[in-house]
Amino acid sequence: MYYELLAIARITDPANVSKEATRIASTVGRLILNNRGVIREITSIGAKPLPRIMKKEQERHFQGYHFLIGFDSSGGVQSQLLRTLRNDPRVLRAIIKKHDITSAMNPGNSVHQALNSIPK
């Protein structure tokens, strides 16, 4: 099945905002590939202010680095992935969305779908 992981990484160094997100993406990628999954795409959404102050590991965060990873894997892999990310102190939030690809082989990620739905 095709899944899409949207994660928000903490920003510890204002000079290099994508440092934590890069490390998290490589950890996620290794987990997916080691469990016979396929990574379709990695999209960086960038550093954005959070809608509210989020707490994790007794720290308060007001901004985070958002990124999206599209991958194919089994259901067990995605539950293991979420468990790993929820225990990681570098990840503020993580969510996995399942896509139905019966109508199109490459549906694109949620960002591309949203941009294509806007009338020009």
Side-chain angles (χ1 to χ4, degrees), residues 47-52 62-64 66:
K48 295 183 179 243
L50 299 173
R52 60 183 173 87
F62 60 92
Q63 65 180 354
H66 298 67

Side-chain angles (χ1 to χ4, degrees), residues 54-66:
M54 293 185 181
K55 294 180 185 177
K56 178 95 181 219
E57 301 283 321
Q58 299 180 355
E59 294 179 350
R60 294 179 184 200
H61 303 277
F62 60 92
Q63 65 180 354
Y65 195 87
H66 298 67

Side-chain angles (χ1 to χ4, degrees), residues 51-116:
R52 60 183 173 87
I53 295 175
M54 293 185 181
K55 294 180 185 177
K56 178 95 181 219
E57 301 283 321
Q58 299 180 355
E59 294 179 350
R60 294 179 184 200
H61 303 277
F62 60 92
Q63 65 180 354
Y65 195 87
H66 298 67
F67 64 94
L68 192 104
I69 299 176
F71 62 97
D72 290 309
S73 71
S74 65
V77 174
Q78 64 97 10
S79 63
Q80 176 189 4
L81 191 62
L82 262 183
R83 189 173 344 123
T84 303
L85 289 175
R86 292 188 200 260
N87 292 332
D88 193 340
R90 302 173 296 179
V91 179
L92 299 178
R93 293 286 188 271
I95 185 170
I96 293 181
K97 180 182 174 189
K98 183 168 110 178
H99 280 277
D100 183 23
I101 59 171
T102 56
S103 60
M105 285 304 287
N106 190 8
N109 62 30
S110 298
V111 174
H112 292 122
Q113 289 176 359
L115 291 176
N116 290 337

